[in-house]
Protein backbone atom coordinates (compact mmCIF):
# COMPACT_ATOMS: atom_id res chain seq x y z
CA UNK A 1 0.00 0.00 0.00
CA UNK A 2 1.34 3.49 -0.90
CA UNK A 3 0.59 5.40 2.34
CA UNK A 4 -1.05 8.87 2.25
CA UNK A 5 1.61 10.13 4.66
CA UNK A 6 4.79 8.74 6.12
CA UNK A 7 7.60 9.88 8.40
CA UNK A 8 11.08 10.39 6.98
CA UNK A 9 13.81 9.11 9.34
CA UNK A 10 17.51 9.53 8.54
CA UNK A 11 20.59 7.88 10.06
CA UNK A 12 21.33 11.28 11.71
CA UNK A 13 17.87 11.21 13.35
CA UNK A 14 18.58 7.73 14.72
CA UNK A 15 22.02 8.74 16.00
CA UNK A 16 20.55 11.81 17.73
CA UNK A 17 18.02 9.67 19.62
CA UNK A 18 20.63 7.02 20.52
CA UNK A 19 22.90 9.76 21.93
CA UNK A 20 20.13 10.76 24.32
CA UNK A 21 19.63 7.13 25.39
CA UNK A 22 23.32 7.05 26.38
CA UNK A 23 23.09 10.36 28.25
CA UNK A 24 22.02 11.14 31.82
CA UNK A 25 18.64 12.68 31.01
CA UNK A 26 15.80 10.94 29.19
CA UNK A 27 13.41 13.69 30.25
CA UNK A 28 13.73 17.22 31.70
CA UNK A 29 17.26 17.77 30.32
CA UNK A 30 18.69 20.29 27.89
CA UNK A 31 17.24 18.94 24.61
CA UNK A 32 13.67 20.19 25.09
CA UNK A 33 14.72 23.83 25.71
CA UNK A 34 17.15 23.53 22.77
CA UNK A 35 14.32 22.32 20.51
CA UNK A 36 11.99 25.08 21.75
CA UNK A 37 14.57 27.81 21.16
CA UNK A 38 15.60 26.48 17.74
CA UNK A 39 12.00 26.22 16.54
CA UNK A 40 10.89 29.57 17.98
CA UNK A 41 13.83 31.27 16.28
CA UNK A 42 13.09 29.43 13.00
CA UNK A 43 9.45 30.60 12.87
CA UNK A 44 10.11 34.02 14.38
CA UNK A 45 8.22 33.62 17.66
CA UNK A 46 9.52 34.76 21.05
CA UNK A 47 8.59 31.54 22.90
CA UNK A 48 8.05 27.86 22.11
CA UNK A 49 6.56 25.40 24.64
CA UNK A 50 7.10 21.75 23.64
CA UNK A 51 4.46 19.19 24.67
CA UNK A 52 3.74 15.48 24.32
CA UNK A 53 1.13 16.18 21.60
CA UNK A 54 -0.59 18.99 19.72
CA UNK A 55 -3.76 18.06 21.59
CA UNK A 56 -2.02 18.84 24.91
CA UNK A 57 -0.68 22.08 23.44
CA UNK A 58 -4.21 23.07 22.35
CA UNK A 59 -5.47 22.34 25.87
CA UNK A 60 -2.68 24.45 27.42
CA UNK A 61 -3.41 27.26 24.95
CA UNK A 62 -7.08 27.30 25.97
CA UNK A 63 -6.15 27.27 29.67
CA UNK A 64 -3.62 30.09 29.20
CA UNK A 65 -6.34 32.18 27.51
CA UNK A 66 -8.56 31.52 30.55
CA UNK A 67 -11.15 29.41 28.75
CA UNK A 68 -13.57 28.03 31.34
CA UNK A 69 -17.19 27.07 31.87
CA UNK A 70 -19.72 29.47 30.31
CA UNK A 71 -17.14 30.61 27.74
CA UNK A 72 -17.67 30.10 24.06
CA UNK A 73 -14.99 28.97 21.58
CA UNK A 74 -15.43 28.85 17.80
CA UNK A 75 -13.56 26.63 15.37
CA UNK A 76 -13.90 25.00 11.96
CA UNK A 77 -16.08 21.90 11.47
CA UNK A 78 -13.52 20.52 8.96
CA UNK A 79 -10.67 19.54 11.25
CA UNK A 80 -9.51 16.76 13.49
CA UNK A 81 -11.73 16.54 16.60
CA UNK A 82 -8.90 17.83 18.83
CA UNK A 83 -9.46 21.39 17.50
CA UNK A 84 -12.85 21.43 19.24
CA UNK A 85 -12.19 19.02 22.13
CA UNK A 86 -9.57 21.34 23.67
CA UNK A 87 -12.29 23.87 24.52
CA UNK A 88 -14.54 21.12 25.91
CA UNK A 89 -11.71 20.00 28.28
CA UNK A 90 -12.02 23.47 29.85
CA UNK A 91 -15.79 23.14 30.16
CA UNK A 92 -16.45 25.72 27.44
CA UNK A 93 -19.16 25.57 24.83
CA UNK A 94 -18.08 25.09 21.23
CA UNK A 95 -19.58 26.46 18.02
CA UNK A 96 -18.43 26.23 14.42
CA UNK A 97 -18.01 28.63 11.51
CA UNK A 98 -18.70 27.04 8.13
CA UNK A 99 -15.87 26.67 5.63
CA UNK A 100 -14.98 28.02 2.22
CA UNK A 101 -16.16 25.45 -0.36
CA UNK A 102 -12.79 25.26 -2.16
CA UNK A 103 -10.13 25.50 0.57
CA UNK A 104 -12.33 24.22 3.44
CA UNK A 105 -10.53 26.80 5.58
CA UNK A 106 -12.77 29.06 7.67
CA UNK A 107 -15.06 31.17 5.45
CA UNK A 108 -14.02 34.72 6.36
CA UNK A 109 -17.26 36.32 5.07
CA UNK A 110 -19.27 33.85 7.15
CA UNK A 111 -17.06 34.65 10.16
CA UNK A 112 -17.80 38.38 9.73
CA UNK A 113 -21.57 37.74 9.62
CA UNK A 114 -21.50 35.37 12.56
CA UNK A 115 -19.47 37.79 14.71
CA UNK A 116 -21.98 40.57 14.00
CA UNK A 117 -24.90 38.29 14.92
CA UNK A 118 -23.10 37.10 18.06
CA UNK A 119 -22.45 40.68 19.13
CA UNK A 120 -26.16 41.52 18.79
CA UNK A 121 -27.02 38.43 20.83
CA UNK A 122 -24.31 39.29 23.44
CA UNK A 123 -22.78 35.87 22.88
CA UNK A 124 -19.35 36.57 21.38
CA UNK A 125 -16.75 33.80 21.61
CA UNK A 126 -13.72 34.35 23.85
CA UNK A 127 -11.43 32.54 21.40
CA UNK A 128 -11.47 31.58 17.74
CA UNK A 129 -9.39 28.53 16.79
CA UNK A 130 -8.52 28.67 13.10
CA UNK A 131 -7.25 25.58 11.29
CA UNK A 132 -4.81 25.84 8.38
CA UNK A 133 -6.30 22.87 6.60
CA UNK A 134 -3.84 20.75 4.59
CA UNK A 135 -1.11 23.27 5.50
CA UNK A 136 -2.80 26.08 3.53
CA UNK A 137 -2.62 29.18 5.76
CA UNK A 138 -5.96 30.93 6.41
CA UNK A 139 -6.42 34.63 5.57
CA UNK A 140 -4.92 35.65 8.92
CA UNK A 141 -4.64 39.37 8.29
CA UNK A 142 -8.40 39.68 7.55
CA UNK A 143 -9.27 37.28 10.38
CA UNK A 144 -7.17 39.14 12.96
CA UNK A 145 -8.67 42.47 11.92
CA UNK A 146 -12.16 41.05 12.47
CA UNK A 147 -11.44 39.31 15.77
CA UNK A 148 -9.59 42.37 17.14
CA UNK A 149 -12.59 44.57 16.44
CA UNK A 150 -14.81 42.21 18.48
CA UNK A 151 -12.24 41.52 21.24
CA UNK A 152 -11.84 37.83 20.35
CA UNK A 153 -8.51 36.02 20.90
CA UNK A 154 -7.06 33.73 18.23
CA UNK A 155 -5.35 30.33 18.39
CA UNK A 156 -3.93 28.92 15.15
CA UNK A 157 -4.22 25.14 15.01
CA UNK A 158 -1.28 24.87 12.62
CA UNK A 159 -0.86 21.11 13.12
CA UNK A 160 -0.76 20.82 9.30
CA UNK A 161 1.11 24.03 8.58
CA UNK A 162 4.59 23.39 9.97
CA UNK A 163 6.94 25.06 7.48
CA UNK A 164 4.12 26.95 5.73
CA UNK A 165 4.37 30.70 5.22
CA UNK A 166 1.95 33.61 5.18
CA UNK A 167 2.96 37.04 3.87
CA UNK A 168 6.54 35.67 3.69
CA UNK A 169 6.71 34.81 7.40
CA UNK A 170 6.59 31.30 8.79
CA UNK A 171 3.33 30.17 10.34
CA UNK A 172 4.16 30.09 14.06
CA UNK A 173 5.37 33.71 14.17
CA UNK A 174 2.03 34.57 15.85
CA UNK A 175 1.96 37.82 13.89
CA UNK A 176 -1.85 37.47 13.67
CA UNK A 177 -2.68 35.29 16.67
CA UNK A 178 -2.13 34.88 20.40
CA UNK A 179 -0.87 31.28 20.25
CA UNK A 180 0.01 28.90 17.40
CA UNK A 181 0.09 25.09 17.74
CA UNK A 182 2.16 22.55 15.76
CA UNK A 183 1.81 18.74 15.72
CA UNK A 184 4.72 16.34 15.29
CA UNK A 185 2.67 13.17 14.84
CA UNK A 186 4.39 10.88 12.26
CA UNK A 187 1.94 11.71 9.45
CA UNK A 188 2.60 15.45 9.85
CA UNK A 189 5.41 17.49 8.27
CA UNK A 190 8.18 16.64 10.76
CA UNK A 191 7.91 14.17 13.60
CA UNK A 192 8.88 13.49 17.21
CA UNK A 193 6.73 10.28 17.21
CA UNK A 194 4.17 12.02 19.40
CA UNK A 195 4.63 15.68 20.18
CA UNK A 196 3.59 19.25 19.68
CA UNK A 197 4.59 22.82 20.35
CA UNK A 198 2.82 26.04 21.28
CA UNK A 199 4.32 29.35 20.12
CA UNK A 200 3.54 32.79 21.48
CA UNK A 201 5.07 36.25 21.70
CA UNK A 202 3.42 36.93 25.07
CA UNK A 203 5.70 36.13 28.04
CA UNK A 204 2.81 35.57 30.45
CA UNK A 205 1.04 33.11 28.12
CA UNK A 206 4.36 31.25 27.68
CA UNK A 207 4.89 31.15 31.45
CA UNK A 208 1.37 29.81 32.11
CA UNK A 209 1.68 27.13 29.43
CA UNK A 210 5.06 25.89 30.74
CA UNK A 211 3.78 25.87 34.32
CA UNK A 212 0.63 23.88 33.45
CA UNK A 213 2.63 21.49 31.25
CA UNK A 214 4.35 20.20 34.38
CA UNK A 215 1.75 19.84 37.17
CA UNK A 216 1.55 23.57 37.88
CA UNK A 217 4.74 23.06 39.87
CA UNK A 218 7.63 25.53 39.89
CA UNK A 219 11.13 25.81 41.32
CA UNK A 220 11.35 29.44 40.24
CA UNK A 221 11.71 31.54 43.40
CA UNK A 222 10.20 34.57 41.68
CA UNK A 223 6.89 32.77 41.19
CA UNK A 224 6.62 31.48 44.79
CA UNK A 225 4.52 33.07 47.53
CA UNK A 226 7.23 32.61 50.19
CA UNK A 227 10.97 32.19 50.21
CA UNK A 228 12.44 28.78 49.43
CA UNK A 229 12.90 26.36 52.34
CA UNK A 230 15.95 24.77 50.67
CA UNK A 231 17.18 23.49 47.35
CA UNK A 232 14.64 20.63 47.39
CA UNK A 233 11.81 23.13 47.55
CA UNK A 234 9.08 23.53 44.95
CA UNK A 235 5.56 24.91 44.97
CA UNK A 236 2.42 23.90 43.14
CA UNK A 237 0.74 27.13 42.04
CA UNK A 238 -2.08 25.77 39.88
CA UNK A 239 -3.67 22.50 38.83
CA UNK A 240 -1.46 21.37 35.96
CA UNK A 241 -0.79 18.20 34.00
CA UNK A 242 2.08 16.06 32.81
CA UNK A 243 2.18 17.17 29.16
CA UNK A 244 5.99 17.10 28.89
CA UNK A 245 7.96 16.11 25.80
CA UNK A 246 10.86 13.69 26.43
CA UNK A 247 14.52 14.32 25.60
CA UNK A 248 14.38 11.51 22.99
CA UNK A 249 11.53 13.25 21.21
CA UNK A 250 13.23 16.64 21.35
CA UNK A 251 16.49 15.22 19.94
CA UNK A 252 14.53 13.70 17.06
CA UNK A 253 12.74 17.02 16.53
CA UNK A 254 15.99 19.03 16.46
CA UNK A 255 17.41 16.64 13.90
CA UNK A 256 14.21 16.71 11.79
CA UNK A 257 14.03 20.51 11.89
CA UNK A 258 17.13 20.70 9.66
CA UNK A 259 15.13 19.07 6.85
CA UNK A 260 11.85 20.97 7.34
CA UNK A 261 12.27 23.33 4.36
CA UNK A 262 13.38 20.54 2.04
CA UNK A 263 10.37 18.39 3.07
CA UNK A 264 8.00 21.27 2.34
CA UNK A 265 9.67 22.01 -1.02
CA UNK A 266 9.33 18.37 -2.02
CA UNK A 267 5.66 18.36 -0.99
CA UNK A 268 5.07 21.48 -3.11
CA UNK A 269 6.74 19.88 -6.14
CA UNK A 270 4.58 16.76 -5.78
CA UNK A 271 1.45 18.90 -5.39
CA UNK A 272 2.32 20.80 -8.60
CA UNK A 273 2.63 17.49 -10.46
CA UNK A 274 -0.82 16.44 -9.23
CA UNK A 275 -2.21 19.87 -10.25
CA UNK A 276 -0.80 19.57 -13.77
CA UNK A 277 -2.04 15.99 -14.18
CA UNK A 278 -5.62 16.75 -13.08
CA UNK A 279 -6.33 20.24 -14.42
CA UNK A 280 -8.66 19.02 -17.21
CA UNK A 281 -10.70 16.66 -14.98
CA UNK A 282 -14.03 17.49 -13.25
CA UNK A 283 -12.27 17.87 -9.91
CA UNK A 284 -11.84 20.76 -7.51
CA UNK A 285 -8.09 20.97 -6.90
CA UNK A 286 -6.37 22.64 -3.94
CA UNK A 287 -6.06 26.42 -4.23
CA UNK A 288 -3.46 28.06 -2.02
CA UNK A 289 -4.76 31.18 -0.24
CA UNK A 290 -3.55 34.72 -1.15
CA UNK A 291 -0.06 35.59 0.10
CA UNK A 292 0.38 32.03 1.35
CA UNK A 293 2.84 29.19 0.80
CA UNK A 294 1.32 25.85 1.80
CA UNK A 295 3.26 23.13 3.57
CA UNK A 296 1.01 20.63 1.72
CA UNK A 297 0.49 18.28 4.64
CA UNK A 298 -2.40 16.93 2.55
CA UNK A 299 -3.34 17.00 -1.13
CA UNK A 300 -7.15 16.79 -1.25
CA UNK A 301 -9.17 16.49 -4.46
CA UNK A 302 -12.94 17.06 -4.47
CA UNK A 303 -15.15 15.30 -7.01
CA UNK A 304 -17.55 17.75 -8.65
CA UNK A 305 -21.06 16.51 -7.90
CA UNK A 306 -23.02 16.02 -11.13
CA UNK A 307 -20.00 16.41 -13.40
CA UNK A 308 -18.13 13.24 -12.63
CA UNK A 309 -19.57 9.75 -13.12
CA UNK A 310 -17.82 8.19 -10.18
CA UNK A 311 -18.77 8.85 -6.54
CA UNK A 312 -16.27 9.39 -3.74
CA UNK A 313 -16.78 5.96 -2.22
CA UNK A 314 -16.27 4.17 -5.56
CA UNK A 315 -13.10 6.12 -6.34
CA UNK A 316 -11.82 5.62 -2.79
CA UNK A 317 -12.47 1.84 -2.93
CA UNK A 318 -10.88 1.54 -6.40
CA UNK A 319 -7.73 3.32 -5.23
CA UNK A 320 -7.49 1.25 -2.04
CA UNK A 321 -8.04 -1.98 -4.02
CA UNK A 322 -5.12 -1.00 -6.26
CA UNK A 323 -2.79 -0.39 -3.32
CA UNK A 324 -3.16 3.37 -2.99
CA UNK A 325 -3.60 4.35 0.68
CA UNK A 326 -6.01 7.23 0.17
CA UNK A 327 -7.80 8.74 3.14
CA UNK A 328 -10.59 11.22 3.94
CA UNK A 329 -9.98 14.45 5.93
CA UNK A 330 -12.25 15.11 7.74
CA UNK A 331 -15.62 13.83 8.90
CA UNK A 332 -17.23 17.14 10.00
CA UNK A 333 -16.78 17.44 13.76
CA UNK A 334 -20.39 18.51 14.38
CA UNK A 335 -21.65 15.21 12.89
CA UNK A 336 -19.75 13.09 15.43
CA UNK A 337 -22.07 11.41 17.98
CA UNK A 338 -20.41 13.26 20.88
CA UNK A 339 -21.17 16.63 19.25
CA UNK A 340 -24.65 15.54 18.13
CA UNK A 341 -25.38 14.87 21.81
CA UNK A 342 -24.45 18.48 22.48
CA UNK A 343 -27.18 19.57 20.05
CA UNK A 344 -25.45 19.90 16.66
CA UNK A 345 -27.32 18.54 13.64
CA UNK A 346 -26.37 17.31 10.19
CA UNK A 347 -27.28 20.22 7.92
CA UNK A 348 -25.86 22.87 10.28
CA UNK A 349 -22.75 23.53 8.13
CA UNK A 350 -23.63 22.74 4.49
CA UNK A 351 -20.27 23.70 2.93
CA UNK A 352 -18.39 21.47 5.38
CA UNK A 353 -20.75 18.57 4.73
CA UNK A 354 -20.46 18.93 0.95
CA UNK A 355 -16.67 19.06 1.19
CA UNK A 356 -16.69 15.87 3.25
CA UNK A 357 -18.93 14.05 0.72
CA UNK A 358 -16.52 14.67 -2.15
CA UNK A 359 -13.02 14.86 -0.66
CA UNK A 360 -10.20 12.32 -1.00
CA UNK A 361 -6.67 12.81 0.34
CA UNK A 362 -4.06 11.43 -2.06
CA UNK A 363 -0.67 10.11 -0.96
CA UNK A 364 1.79 12.96 -0.39
CA UNK A 365 5.03 12.65 1.54
CA UNK A 366 8.70 13.40 0.82
CA UNK A 367 9.59 9.82 -0.17
CA UNK A 368 6.75 9.42 -2.70
CA UNK A 369 8.42 8.51 -6.01
CA UNK A 370 7.58 9.79 -9.52
CA UNK A 371 6.58 6.23 -10.47
CA UNK A 372 4.19 5.93 -7.53
CA UNK A 373 2.70 9.32 -8.33
CA UNK A 374 2.27 8.44 -12.03
CA UNK A 375 0.50 5.23 -10.99
CA UNK A 376 -1.91 7.12 -8.66
CA UNK A 377 -2.59 9.71 -11.40
CA UNK A 378 -3.34 7.05 -14.02
CA UNK A 379 -5.97 5.38 -11.79
CA UNK A 380 -7.70 8.68 -11.07
CA UNK A 381 -7.62 9.81 -14.72
CA UNK A 382 -9.17 6.59 -15.96
CA UNK A 383 -11.86 6.65 -13.22
CA UNK A 384 -12.83 10.28 -13.93
CA UNK A 385 -12.66 10.40 -17.74
C1 LIG B 1 -3.08 15.94 14.09
C2 LIG B 1 -3.93 17.06 14.47
C3 LIG B 1 -4.16 17.43 15.79
C4 LIG B 1 -3.67 16.60 16.96
O1 LIG B 1 -2.34 16.37 16.92
P1 LIG B 1 -1.66 15.36 17.96
O2 LIG B 1 -0.23 15.77 17.96
O3 LIG B 1 -1.88 13.99 17.40
O4 LIG B 1 -2.32 15.54 19.27
C5 LIG B 1 -4.89 18.56 16.06
N1 LIG B 1 -5.43 19.30 15.06
C6 LIG B 1 -5.25 18.97 13.77
C7 LIG B 1 -5.83 19.85 12.72
C8 LIG B 1 -4.52 17.84 13.44
O5 LIG B 1 -4.38 17.48 12.16
Amino acid sequence: MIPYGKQNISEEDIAAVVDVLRSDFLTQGAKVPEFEEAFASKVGAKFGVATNSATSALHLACLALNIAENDLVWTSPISFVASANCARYCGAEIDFVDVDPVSANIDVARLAEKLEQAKSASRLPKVLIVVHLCGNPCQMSEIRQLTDSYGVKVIEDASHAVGARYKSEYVGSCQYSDITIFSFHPVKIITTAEGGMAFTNDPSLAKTMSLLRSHGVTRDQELMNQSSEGSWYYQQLALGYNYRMTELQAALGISQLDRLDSFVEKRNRLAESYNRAFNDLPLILPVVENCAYSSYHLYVIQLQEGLVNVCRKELFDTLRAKGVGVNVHYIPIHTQPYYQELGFRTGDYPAAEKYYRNAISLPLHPALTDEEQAYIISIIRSACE
Side-chain angles (χ1 to χ4, degrees):
M1 189 74 78
I2 304 170
Y4 85 87
K6 187 173 191 279
Q7 69 273 18
N8 181 295
I9 301 294
S10 67
E11 288 306 317
E12 288 76 17
D13 292 340
I14 293 167
V17 174
V18 169
D19 279 351
V20 172
L21 282 169
R22 295 208 170 94
S23 77
D24 289 338
F25 293 99
L26 302 186
T27 187
Q28 295 177 285
K31 288 290 174 193
V32 166
E34 183 186 335
F35 185 36
E36 290 171 336
E37 278 155 35
F39 225 143
S41 121
K42 168 94 184 167
V43 299
K46 287 209 177 89
F47 308 98
V49 178
T51 54
N52 58 3
S53 73
T55 304
S56 310
L58 282 164
H59 185 195
L60 293 179
C62 287
L63 291 168
L65 293 172
N66 290 315
I67 299 297
E69 247 170 88
N70 301 321
D71 286 329
L72 183 56
V73 172
W74 289 0
T75 190
S76 166
I78 295 291
S79 185
F80 185 55
V81 292
S83 308
N85 290 347
C86 56
R88 299 290 302 148
Y89 297 151
C90 304
E93 218 180 288
I94 195 92
D95 199 3
F96 302 95
V97 183
D98 208 354
V99 298
D100 175 87
V102 174
S103 67
N105 275 340
I106 189 167
D107 181 332
V108 179
R110 186 67 204 109
L111 174 66
E113 281 170 21
K114 196 169 165 113
L115 282 167
E116 196 48 40
Q117 289 160 359
K119 188 184 173 194
S120 310
S122 300
R123 193 65 180 128
L124 280 166
K126 191 182 255 184
V127 170
L128 171 71
I129 302 176
V130 296
V131 180
H132 304 309
L133 194 72
C134 306
N136 184 13
C138 296
Q139 290 299 287
M140 290 312 298
S141 154
E142 285 80 355
I143 290 169
R144 187 61 157 180
Q145 232 174 325
L146 271 170
T147 51
D148 271 353
S149 66
Y150 290 91
V152 176
K153 305 272 194 213
V154 178
I155 297 172
E156 296 173 71
D157 181 347
S159 292
H160 297 185
V162 182
R165 280 175 253 156
Y166 176 71
K167 293 194 193 273
S168 72
E169 281 191 76
Y170 280 104
V171 170
S173 72
C174 300
Q175 206 63 39
Y176 303 94
S177 65
D178 298 279
I179 300 171
T180 300
I181 303 300
F182 282 178
S183 171
F184 308 129
H185 183 279
V187 298
K188 306 279 163 71
I189 309 284
I190 65 166
T191 192
T192 60
E194 296 281 359
M197 201 176 290
F199 296 97
T200 185
N201 293 319
D202 180 326
S204 82
L205 293 177
K207 198 170 271 183
T208 304
M209 290 192 289
S210 8
L211 187 71
L212 296 179
R213 166 180 63 182
S214 200
H215 308 282
V217 159
T218 188
R219 288 175 186 277
D220 181 349
Q221 177 66 64
E222 279 182 23
L223 298 176
M224 295 183 189
N225 69 355
Q226 63 162 66
S227 56
S228 173
E229 296 173 2
S231 52
W232 68 85
Y233 193 67
Y234 58 83
Q235 281 191 337
Q236 184 191 346
L237 304 176
L239 184 62
Y241 302 83
N242 181 350
Y243 283 168
R244 291 189 302 260
M245 176 178 275
T246 68
E247 292 288 285
L248 294 119
Q249 291 169 303
L252 179 55
I254 293 164
S255 182
Q256 290 256 308
L257 185 52
D258 283 341
R259 307 206 295 296
L260 172 60
D261 291 332
S262 71
F263 289 165
V264 170
E265 278 161 31
K266 180 72 194 290
R267 286 173 174 276
N268 272 268
R269 278 203 302 280
L270 291 165
E272 281 160 23
S273 304
Y274 276 139
N275 284 341
R276 275 195 304 275
F278 298 143
N279 68 14
D280 59 333
L281 296 180
L283 300 172
I284 298 172
L285 303 179
V287 175
V288 177
E289 302 258 18
N290 280 336
C291 308
Y293 176 69
S294 177
S295 59
Y296 273 108
H297 164 55
L298 298 172
Y299 186 92
V300 176
I301 57 170
Q302 297 177 68
L303 303 178
Q304 289 197 305
E305 284 177 15
L307 290 182
V308 61
N309 286 327
V310 65
C311 73
R312 195 268 307 274
K313 184 164 191 317
E314 279 172 61
L315 182 58
F316 183 97
D317 291 343
T318 303
L319 283 156
R320 279 281 178 99
K322 291 179 187 287
V324 180
V326 282
N327 219 315
V328 171
H329 298 93
Y330 288 97
I331 303 165
I333 299 173
H334 69 283
T335 66
Q336 294 291 352
Y338 172 78
Y339 285 94
Q340 297 264 303
E341 269 178 46
L342 294 176
F344 294 100
R345 293 289 167 260
T346 303
D348 285 351
Y349 306 98
E353 291 166 28
K354 182 169 183 200
Y355 181 83
Y356 166 62
R357 278 200 301 279
N358 297 302
I360 299 186
S361 306
L362 304 184
L364 184 64
H365 58 87
L368 190 72
T369 66
D370 292 346
E371 293 70 34
E372 286 171 328
Q373 198 178 26
Y375 174 67
I376 297 160
I377 289 166
S378 72
I379 301 169
I380 292 170
R381 287 203 63 92
S382 56
C384 293
E385 267 163 357

